PDB file of all heavy atoms in Angstrom:
ATOM      1  N   ALA A 445       2.346  43.442  30.884  1.00 93.00           N
ATOM      2  CA  ALA A 445       3.506  43.516  31.771  1.00 93.00           C
ATOM      3  C   ALA A 445       3.681  42.196  32.530  1.00 93.00           C
ATOM      4  O   ALA A 445       4.814  41.708  32.714  1.00 93.00           O
ATOM      5  CB  ALA A 445       3.337  44.673  32.753  1.00 93.00           C
ATOM      6  N   LEU A 446       2.566  41.599  32.952  1.00 94.00           N
ATOM      7  CA  LEU A 446       2.638  40.303  33.658  1.00 94.00           C
ATOM      8  C   LEU A 446       3.144  39.200  32.734  1.00 94.00           C
ATOM      9  O   LEU A 446       3.942  38.344  33.151  1.00 94.00           O
ATOM     10  CB  LEU A 446       1.255  39.932  34.208  1.00 94.00           C
ATOM     11  CG  LEU A 446       0.795  40.706  35.454  1.00 94.00           C
ATOM     12  CD1 LEU A 446      -0.641  40.332  35.815  1.00 94.00           C
ATOM     13  CD2 LEU A 446       1.724  40.410  36.640  1.00 94.00           C
ATOM     14  N   LEU A 447       2.680  39.213  31.471  1.00 94.00           N
ATOM     15  CA  LEU A 447       3.150  38.201  30.525  1.00 94.00           C
ATOM     16  C   LEU A 447       4.648  38.365  30.274  1.00 94.00           C
ATOM     17  O   LEU A 447       5.396  37.372  30.241  1.00 94.00           O
ATOM     18  CB  LEU A 447       2.376  38.304  29.205  1.00 94.00           C
ATOM     19  CG  LEU A 447       2.821  37.327  28.104  1.00 94.00           C
ATOM     20  CD1 LEU A 447       2.701  35.882  28.579  1.00 94.00           C
ATOM     21  CD2 LEU A 447       2.003  37.523  26.822  1.00 94.00           C
ATOM     22  N   ALA A 448       5.082  39.603  30.115  1.00 94.00           N
ATOM     23  CA  ALA A 448       6.518  39.849  29.901  1.00 94.00           C
ATOM     24  C   ALA A 448       7.313  39.380  31.124  1.00 94.00           C
ATOM     25  O   ALA A 448       8.367  38.730  30.983  1.00 94.00           O
ATOM     26  CB  ALA A 448       6.757  41.332  29.640  1.00 94.00           C
ATOM     27  N   ALA A 449       6.808  39.691  32.323  1.00 95.00           N
ATOM     28  CA  ALA A 449       7.507  39.291  33.553  1.00 95.00           C
ATOM     29  C   ALA A 449       7.586  37.771  33.654  1.00 95.00           C
ATOM     30  O   ALA A 449       8.648  37.201  33.957  1.00 95.00           O
ATOM     31  CB  ALA A 449       6.784  39.871  34.765  1.00 95.00           C
ATOM     32  N   ALA A 450       6.448  37.097  33.387  1.00 95.00           N
ATOM     33  CA  ALA A 450       6.427  35.626  33.475  1.00 95.00           C
ATOM     34  C   ALA A 450       7.358  35.011  32.433  1.00 95.00           C
ATOM     35  O   ALA A 450       8.068  34.031  32.716  1.00 95.00           O
ATOM     36  CB  ALA A 450       4.996  35.113  33.270  1.00 95.00           C
ATOM     37  N   ALA A 451       7.377  35.596  31.232  1.00 95.00           N
ATOM     38  CA  ALA A 451       8.232  35.061  30.170  1.00 95.00           C
ATOM     39  C   ALA A 451       9.713  35.253  30.512  1.00 95.00           C
ATOM     40  O   ALA A 451      10.520  34.334  30.323  1.00 95.00           O
ATOM     41  CB  ALA A 451       7.900  35.736  28.838  1.00 95.00           C
ATOM     42  N   PHE A 452      10.073  36.431  31.035  1.00 95.00           N
ATOM     43  CA  PHE A 452      11.467  36.658  31.428  1.00 95.00           C
ATOM     44  C   PHE A 452      11.857  35.719  32.571  1.00 95.00           C
ATOM     45  O   PHE A 452      12.961  35.159  32.583  1.00 95.00           O
ATOM     46  CB  PHE A 452      11.662  38.117  31.847  1.00 95.00           C
ATOM     47  CG  PHE A 452      11.954  39.038  30.689  1.00 95.00           C
ATOM     48  CD1 PHE A 452      11.092  40.065  30.370  1.00 95.00           C
ATOM     49  CD2 PHE A 452      13.091  38.874  29.914  1.00 95.00           C
ATOM     50  CE1 PHE A 452      11.351  40.911  29.294  1.00 95.00           C
ATOM     51  CE2 PHE A 452      13.359  39.707  28.836  1.00 95.00           C
ATOM     52  CZ  PHE A 452      12.485  40.731  28.534  1.00 95.00           C
ATOM     53  N   PHE A 453      10.944  35.548  33.531  1.00 95.00           N
ATOM     54  CA  PHE A 453      11.199  34.677  34.676  1.00 95.00           C
ATOM     55  C   PHE A 453      11.517  33.250  34.214  1.00 95.00           C
ATOM     56  O   PHE A 453      12.536  32.654  34.593  1.00 95.00           O
ATOM     57  CB  PHE A 453       9.954  34.693  35.580  1.00 95.00           C
ATOM     58  CG  PHE A 453      10.004  33.739  36.732  1.00 95.00           C
ATOM     59  CD1 PHE A 453      10.914  33.923  37.770  1.00 95.00           C
ATOM     60  CD2 PHE A 453       9.132  32.654  36.788  1.00 95.00           C
ATOM     61  CE1 PHE A 453      10.948  33.038  38.841  1.00 95.00           C
ATOM     62  CE2 PHE A 453       9.164  31.769  37.850  1.00 95.00           C
ATOM     63  CZ  PHE A 453      10.076  31.962  38.884  1.00 95.00           C
ATOM     64  N   ALA A 454      10.640  32.717  33.348  1.00 94.00           N
ATOM     65  CA  ALA A 454      10.857  31.355  32.838  1.00 94.00           C
ATOM     66  C   ALA A 454      12.102  31.296  31.954  1.00 94.00           C
ATOM     67  O   ALA A 454      12.841  30.296  31.975  1.00 94.00           O
ATOM     68  CB  ALA A 454       9.631  30.894  32.051  1.00 94.00           C
ATOM     69  N   LEU A 455      12.340  32.361  31.219  1.00 94.00           N
ATOM     70  CA  LEU A 455      13.511  32.397  30.323  1.00 94.00           C
ATOM     71  C   LEU A 455      14.813  32.304  31.116  1.00 94.00           C
ATOM     72  O   LEU A 455      15.705  31.502  30.785  1.00 94.00           O
ATOM     73  CB  LEU A 455      13.478  33.695  29.510  1.00 94.00           C
ATOM     74  CG  LEU A 455      14.622  33.922  28.523  1.00 94.00           C
ATOM     75  CD1 LEU A 455      14.577  32.896  27.406  1.00 94.00           C
ATOM     76  CD2 LEU A 455      14.555  35.325  27.932  1.00 94.00           C
ATOM     77  N   PHE A 456      14.913  33.074  32.198  1.00 94.00           N
ATOM     78  CA  PHE A 456      16.137  33.060  33.015  1.00 94.00           C
ATOM     79  C   PHE A 456      16.371  31.681  33.633  1.00 94.00           C
ATOM     80  O   PHE A 456      17.483  31.152  33.609  1.00 94.00           O
ATOM     81  CB  PHE A 456      16.066  34.119  34.110  1.00 94.00           C
ATOM     82  CG  PHE A 456      16.010  35.519  33.575  1.00 94.00           C
ATOM     83  CD1 PHE A 456      15.184  36.460  34.167  1.00 94.00           C
ATOM     84  CD2 PHE A 456      16.775  35.895  32.480  1.00 94.00           C
ATOM     85  CE1 PHE A 456      15.121  37.750  33.671  1.00 94.00           C
ATOM     86  CE2 PHE A 456      16.721  37.181  31.978  1.00 94.00           C
ATOM     87  CZ  PHE A 456      15.897  38.116  32.575  1.00 94.00           C
ATOM     88  N   ILE A 457      15.303  31.116  34.178  1.00 94.00           N
ATOM     89  CA  ILE A 457      15.441  29.819  34.859  1.00 94.00           C
ATOM     90  C   ILE A 457      15.827  28.718  33.864  1.00 94.00           C
ATOM     91  O   ILE A 457      16.735  27.922  34.109  1.00 94.00           O
ATOM     92  CB  ILE A 457      14.135  29.460  35.598  1.00 94.00           C
ATOM     93  CG1 ILE A 457      13.930  30.432  36.771  1.00 94.00           C
ATOM     94  CG2 ILE A 457      14.142  28.021  36.072  1.00 94.00           C
ATOM     95  CD1 ILE A 457      12.601  30.316  37.449  1.00 94.00           C
ATOM     96  N   ASN A 458      15.129  28.693  32.721  1.00 93.00           N
ATOM     97  CA  ASN A 458      15.437  27.670  31.714  1.00 93.00           C
ATOM     98  C   ASN A 458      16.823  27.862  31.125  1.00 93.00           C
ATOM     99  O   ASN A 458      17.523  26.887  30.832  1.00 93.00           O
ATOM    100  CB  ASN A 458      14.383  27.700  30.603  1.00 93.00           C
ATOM    101  CG  ASN A 458      13.127  26.943  30.979  1.00 93.00           C
ATOM    102  OD1 ASN A 458      13.122  25.715  30.999  1.00 93.00           O
ATOM    103  ND2 ASN A 458      12.063  27.675  31.303  1.00 93.00           N
ATOM    104  N   ALA A 459      17.221  29.128  30.929  1.00 93.00           N
ATOM    105  CA  ALA A 459      18.547  29.393  30.347  1.00 93.00           C
ATOM    106  C   ALA A 459      19.643  28.903  31.281  1.00 93.00           C
ATOM    107  O   ALA A 459      20.628  28.282  30.839  1.00 93.00           O
ATOM    108  CB  ALA A 459      18.697  30.884  30.067  1.00 93.00           C
ATOM    109  N   GLU A 460      19.470  29.152  32.577  1.00 90.00           N
ATOM    110  CA  GLU A 460      20.471  28.722  33.556  1.00 90.00           C
ATOM    111  C   GLU A 460      20.559  27.190  33.597  1.00 90.00           C
ATOM    112  O   GLU A 460      21.636  26.609  33.591  1.00 90.00           O
ATOM    113  CB  GLU A 460      20.086  29.289  34.931  1.00 90.00           C
ATOM    114  CG  GLU A 460      21.190  29.212  35.971  1.00 90.00           C
ATOM    115  CD  GLU A 460      21.087  27.964  36.823  1.00 90.00           C
ATOM    116  OE1 GLU A 460      19.977  27.393  36.858  1.00 90.00           O
ATOM    117  OE2 GLU A 460      22.099  27.566  37.421  1.00 90.00           O
ATOM    118  N   MET A 461      19.378  26.553  33.575  1.00 89.00           N
ATOM    119  CA  MET A 461      19.332  25.090  33.608  1.00 89.00           C
ATOM    120  C   MET A 461      19.897  24.498  32.309  1.00 89.00           C
ATOM    121  O   MET A 461      20.670  23.531  32.338  1.00 89.00           O
ATOM    122  CB  MET A 461      17.874  24.644  33.794  1.00 89.00           C
ATOM    123  CG  MET A 461      17.698  23.168  34.060  1.00 89.00           C
ATOM    124  SD  MET A 461      18.412  22.644  35.623  1.00 89.00           S
ATOM    125  CE  MET A 461      17.180  23.255  36.763  1.00 89.00           C
ATOM    126  N   ALA A 462      19.523  25.094  31.173  1.00 89.00           N
ATOM    127  CA  ALA A 462      19.985  24.588  29.880  1.00 89.00           C
ATOM    128  C   ALA A 462      21.496  24.700  29.766  1.00 89.00           C
ATOM    129  O   ALA A 462      22.159  23.782  29.265  1.00 89.00           O
ATOM    130  CB  ALA A 462      19.311  25.377  28.749  1.00 89.00           C
ATOM    131  N   PHE A 463      22.060  25.797  30.269  1.00 89.00           N
ATOM    132  CA  PHE A 463      23.517  25.988  30.187  1.00 89.00           C
ATOM    133  C   PHE A 463      24.240  24.914  30.988  1.00 89.00           C
ATOM    134  O   PHE A 463      25.211  24.313  30.517  1.00 89.00           O
ATOM    135  CB  PHE A 463      23.870  27.376  30.703  1.00 89.00           C
ATOM    136  CG  PHE A 463      25.354  27.646  30.706  1.00 89.00           C
ATOM    137  CD1 PHE A 463      26.024  27.908  29.520  1.00 89.00           C
ATOM    138  CD2 PHE A 463      26.081  27.607  31.896  1.00 89.00           C
ATOM    139  CE1 PHE A 463      27.394  28.127  29.516  1.00 89.00           C
ATOM    140  CE2 PHE A 463      27.446  27.826  31.889  1.00 89.00           C
ATOM    141  CZ  PHE A 463      28.099  28.092  30.698  1.00 89.00           C
ATOM    142  N   ARG A 464      23.730  24.667  32.203  1.00 87.00           N
ATOM    143  CA  ARG A 464      24.397  23.675  33.059  1.00 87.00           C
ATOM    144  C   ARG A 464      24.360  22.286  32.435  1.00 87.00           C
ATOM    145  O   ARG A 464      25.354  21.569  32.402  1.00 87.00           O
ATOM    146  CB  ARG A 464      23.700  23.627  34.423  1.00 87.00           C
ATOM    147  CG  ARG A 464      24.253  24.689  35.382  1.00 87.00           C
ATOM    148  CD  ARG A 464      23.911  24.348  36.792  1.00 87.00           C
ATOM    149  NE  ARG A 464      22.517  24.644  37.093  1.00 87.00           N
ATOM    150  CZ  ARG A 464      21.793  24.003  37.991  1.00 87.00           C
ATOM    151  NH1 ARG A 464      22.339  23.012  38.655  1.00 87.00           N
ATOM    152  NH2 ARG A 464      20.559  24.340  38.235  1.00 87.00           N
ATOM    153  N   ILE A 465      23.181  21.898  31.895  1.00 86.00           N
ATOM    154  CA  ILE A 465      23.051  20.554  31.309  1.00 86.00           C
ATOM    155  C   ILE A 465      23.785  20.474  29.979  1.00 86.00           C
ATOM    156  O   ILE A 465      24.410  19.466  29.659  1.00 86.00           O
ATOM    157  CB  ILE A 465      21.553  20.201  31.144  1.00 86.00           C
ATOM    158  CG1 ILE A 465      20.889  20.140  32.508  1.00 86.00           C
ATOM    159  CG2 ILE A 465      21.378  18.891  30.398  1.00 86.00           C
ATOM    160  CD1 ILE A 465      19.410  19.927  32.476  1.00 86.00           C
ATOM    161  N   PHE A 466      23.712  21.548  29.218  1.00 82.00           N
ATOM    162  CA  PHE A 466      24.338  21.571  27.893  1.00 82.00           C
ATOM    163  C   PHE A 466      25.843  21.322  27.985  1.00 82.00           C
ATOM    164  O   PHE A 466      26.423  20.673  27.118  1.00 82.00           O
ATOM    165  CB  PHE A 466      24.063  22.924  27.230  1.00 82.00           C
ATOM    166  CG  PHE A 466      24.388  22.953  25.766  1.00 82.00           C
ATOM    167  CD1 PHE A 466      23.474  22.491  24.827  1.00 82.00           C
ATOM    168  CD2 PHE A 466      25.605  23.437  25.326  1.00 82.00           C
ATOM    169  CE1 PHE A 466      23.772  22.506  23.477  1.00 82.00           C
ATOM    170  CE2 PHE A 466      25.909  23.455  23.964  1.00 82.00           C
ATOM    171  CZ  PHE A 466      24.991  22.989  23.043  1.00 82.00           C
ATOM    172  N   MET A 467      26.454  21.822  29.039  1.00 80.00           N
ATOM    173  CA  MET A 467      27.894  21.666  29.183  1.00 80.00           C
ATOM    174  C   MET A 467      28.276  20.202  29.429  1.00 80.00           C
ATOM    175  O   MET A 467      29.393  19.781  29.154  1.00 80.00           O
ATOM    176  CB  MET A 467      28.415  22.534  30.346  1.00 80.00           C
ATOM    177  CG  MET A 467      28.189  24.034  30.143  1.00 80.00           C
ATOM    178  SD  MET A 467      28.807  24.642  28.566  1.00 80.00           S
ATOM    179  CE  MET A 467      30.549  24.573  28.860  1.00 80.00           C
ATOM    180  N   ARG A 468      27.315  19.428  29.993  1.00 79.00           N
ATOM    181  CA  ARG A 468      27.596  18.018  30.269  1.00 79.00           C
ATOM    182  C   ARG A 468      27.139  17.119  29.121  1.00 79.00           C
ATOM    183  O   ARG A 468      27.856  16.246  28.681  1.00 79.00           O
ATOM    184  CB  ARG A 468      26.895  17.584  31.569  1.00 79.00           C
ATOM    185  CG  ARG A 468      27.345  18.334  32.806  1.00 79.00           C
ATOM    186  CD  ARG A 468      26.920  17.585  34.058  1.00 79.00           C
ATOM    187  NE  ARG A 468      25.484  17.369  34.119  1.00 79.00           N
ATOM    188  CZ  ARG A 468      24.639  18.194  34.710  1.00 79.00           C
ATOM    189  NH1 ARG A 468      25.089  19.304  35.290  1.00 79.00           N
ATOM    190  NH2 ARG A 468      23.356  17.941  34.747  1.00 79.00           N
ATOM    191  N   ASN A 469      25.906  17.316  28.671  1.00 76.00           N
ATOM    192  CA  ASN A 469      25.336  16.485  27.598  1.00 76.00           C
ATOM    193  C   ASN A 469      24.316  17.336  26.850  1.00 76.00           C
ATOM    194  O   ASN A 469      23.194  17.514  27.315  1.00 76.00           O
ATOM    195  CB  ASN A 469      24.665  15.245  28.206  1.00 76.00           C
ATOM    196  CG  ASN A 469      24.201  14.288  27.129  1.00 76.00           C
ATOM    197  OD1 ASN A 469      24.042  14.661  25.974  1.00 76.00           O
ATOM    198  ND2 ASN A 469      24.002  13.036  27.512  1.00 76.00           N
ATOM    199  N   ARG A 470      24.699  17.865  25.679  1.00 74.00           N
ATOM    200  CA  ARG A 470      23.906  18.896  25.029  1.00 74.00           C
ATOM    201  C   ARG A 470      22.490  18.455  24.681  1.00 74.00           C
ATOM    202  O   ARG A 470      21.552  19.236  24.790  1.00 74.00           O
ATOM    203  CB  ARG A 470      24.624  19.431  23.803  1.00 74.00           C
ATOM    204  CG  ARG A 470      24.826  18.436  22.667  1.00 74.00           C
ATOM    205  CD  ARG A 470      25.639  19.052  21.561  1.00 74.00           C
ATOM    206  NE  ARG A 470      26.971  19.384  22.028  1.00 74.00           N
ATOM    207  CZ  ARG A 470      27.904  19.936  21.285  1.00 74.00           C
ATOM    208  NH1 ARG A 470      27.635  20.237  20.036  1.00 74.00           N
ATOM    209  NH2 ARG A 470      29.095  20.187  21.763  1.00 74.00           N
TER     210      ARG A 470
END
Side-chain angles (χ1 to χ4, degrees):
L446 285 175
L447 178 58
F452 274 118
F453 174 67
L455 180 66
F456 296 140
I457 292 172
N458 278 286
E460 194 266 340
M461 189 65 76
F463 178 75
R464 274 199 284 151
I465 296 175
F466 193 84
M467 298 308 288
R468 299 196 303 268
N469 186 341
R470 65 184 63 180

